[in-house]
Every structure is written in structure tokens, then in C-alpha cells.
Amino acid sequence: MSSKEPNYLKKILKLVLIYFGSILLLGFLALLCCFDVIPLDFLNSKKSPSPLYDMDYDIAQLSPSEENDLLIYGFELFKETPKYIGPDNGNPDMAFQGNRLACKNCHLNYGTKPYSAPLIGIIQRFPQFRGRENKIGTIQERINGCMERSMNGKVLPVSGKEMQAIVAYLQWISRFAPADGKLKGTGFLKIKIPNRPINLANGKQVFKKHCVLCHNTDGQGSKPANGFTYDYPPLWGDDSYNNGAGMTRVITAAQFIKGNMPFGTTYDAPVLTDEEAYDVAGYINMQNRPIKPNTENDFPDIKKKPVSTPYPPYADSFSIEQHKKGPFQPIIAYYKSKFNINKTK
């Protein structure tokens, strides 16, 4: 027998032990999951969203009825908002929008895509405290916040058909949500905020490489010539969100971009790095857009104002420029030291 054969047999035995050991370990973990000793999603990614996002939210499944007709109208409002309440809808009394964005432009997959500000469970999360108003607000007030900011318009009548229809749609997509409305995948992906100001030159290059295919070189998006609604929305200019919208905060925009852009990106396969998302968010938000009146009244307790809010007043002495462009870490550190507040956006 060759002297090499015992070593060869040892290697085979080692591989066999590793193989069967791995099977035993996985079986043991599965057994623990079955008996709730460890959570079922232990082996999943920390970012893996709730399985509720995979439920059936196809509006076409609904049969005609008075109740269903209202929520179907809510879906249509969500999908083609300007057609019904935009500036070109043909009825000046129904022109509640100042721009031509649709709800679907920000809340992707009609509000059901994880990490794109999804709306599944939002009904259960309201009434809710909102720092921007510094009070407990209703879901109707939250919708009207979008109307005044993201839609650059005016509030919908709370008792009107449009508001009732939107709420009905949100109730329908929230029907599987837990009682507290909390499920993994809400909000946006977190990023590691670069400890520097945004790099506008790099942001412009990222935009040219990844964004112009959908949003065009001028950032004005695209929509059918005979249509009301953008397939790909404008990122600045008259038809975009105004400076009071949450998306004008660089950190918030970077988080949305990281998990969703370029179009088709998902939370588990981001295309851009944190640095690229940060820079392109800054580049987009430095462009001209509508100005919301009375933003000085936002955040009555200004200590609650997010650090990347691009308009004053602030409860600190950092410049408007730094609140717009960063670096944000010194501002975050100040609020922690001065007020014991942990700022994340």
C-alpha cells in the first residue's frame, strides 16, 4: 500500500463528516424553528421582507359591487392620479394637483413593493404621531400631506369621494397586515451615510450612466403624448415634487434610490453603492423645483426636523448648505450630544 493512501482516505473521511455534519446542523435548526425556539426567518437575510408582500393584490380579481367600485376607483386614482385630479383633467374644480405625478411613481407596484415606501399596513399604523405637524394625525391628513408636497397641490376634501376611494384602496391592500401594521420591508433600505458632502460631479455622472434611460437627460421623465400620467416621472422642474416633500431630503432620497433604482432594482440586488446613491440623490435635489409656501411652519418642535431637511429654521447653527449637502455626521452628533436625539435621516 502506498504511503499516500492513508492521507487520501483521511481526506475522504473528512469530507464525509463535513457533509453529514452540515445536514445534521440544518436539520437541528429546522427542528428549533418548528418548535419556535428560534424564529422561522433566522436563516433569511436581515432585510428579507414579510411574505405579506407576496399576497394577491390584483385589483382585477374583484367583482362589481358598490364597495368594490369605490376601492377600484381608489386604485385608478393611485395609478393615474393626474387623469382625475391633475391640472389637465378638464374640470378646474377637481384640479387638486399642481403637478402631474401619480401615486404609483413613488409607491412602486401600486404601493406593494417592499422598501419603496410601501403602503401595506399603513391603515393599521394610523392615527400616528407626525413630527412635521407635531401631533397625532389621521390617514386622511397623511394623504393630504402628499397632496400638498409630493403633488405640489392642495388638500382633498376629507369627506369627498376621492379621499374615501384612496382610503378604501389602502384598506384593501392592508387587509392581511397585522393589527399594528408593522412588517419588515416598510420604508426604505438603510444606507451607510458617507461622512462627507455630496459630490455633485459624481452624482451627475451616476445620473448620466443609470438614470437618463428613463428620466431623460433633462430629468423630465416621459409620458405618452396623449396620456395624463408619466411612465417615468420628472425628478425636478414644474411637474416634480416641491421642496417641502420628504424626497427632497438627501438621505431619504438616497435610501429610496438604493433599493429601487435604476428601475427594476430590488432590495436584495442593489445596483448602486451607498456612495453613488448618496451623490445622485444630492445631484437630483440640487436642481430647481416648485417651492412650497409656509415651510417655516413645518416641525413646530424643530428639534424633530430631519438633519437633511433643505430649509430652515433649525435647532442648530449649521448652515443651510450643510443641511442640504452634508456632511451630516456632525449634525447628527450635535443632536445626540445636545438633546439626546438619535437622528437617522
Side-chain angles (χ1 to χ4, degrees), residues 72-83:
I72 290 170
Y73 180 46
F75 171 74
E76 290 298 322
L77 280 164
F78 201 93
K79 181 174 70 170
E80 294 195 78
T81 320
K83 179 179 178 179

Side-chain angles (χ1 to χ4, degrees), residues 58-107:
D58 181 6
I59 206 80
Q61 67 180 279
L62 298 174
S63 56
S65 71
E66 185 176 343
E67 179 181 359
N68 287 349
D69 288 350
L70 183 67
L71 76 88
I72 290 170
Y73 180 46
F75 171 74
E76 290 298 322
L77 280 164
F78 201 93
K79 181 174 70 170
E80 294 195 78
T81 320
K83 179 179 178 179
Y84 301 96
I85 59 173
D88 308 316
N89 76 78
N91 181 357
D93 292 337
M94 289 298 295
F96 291 96
Q97 285 184 260
N99 62 26
R100 295 163 181 82
L101 296 182
C103 302
K104 68 171 186 178
N105 291 143
C106 292
H107 304 280

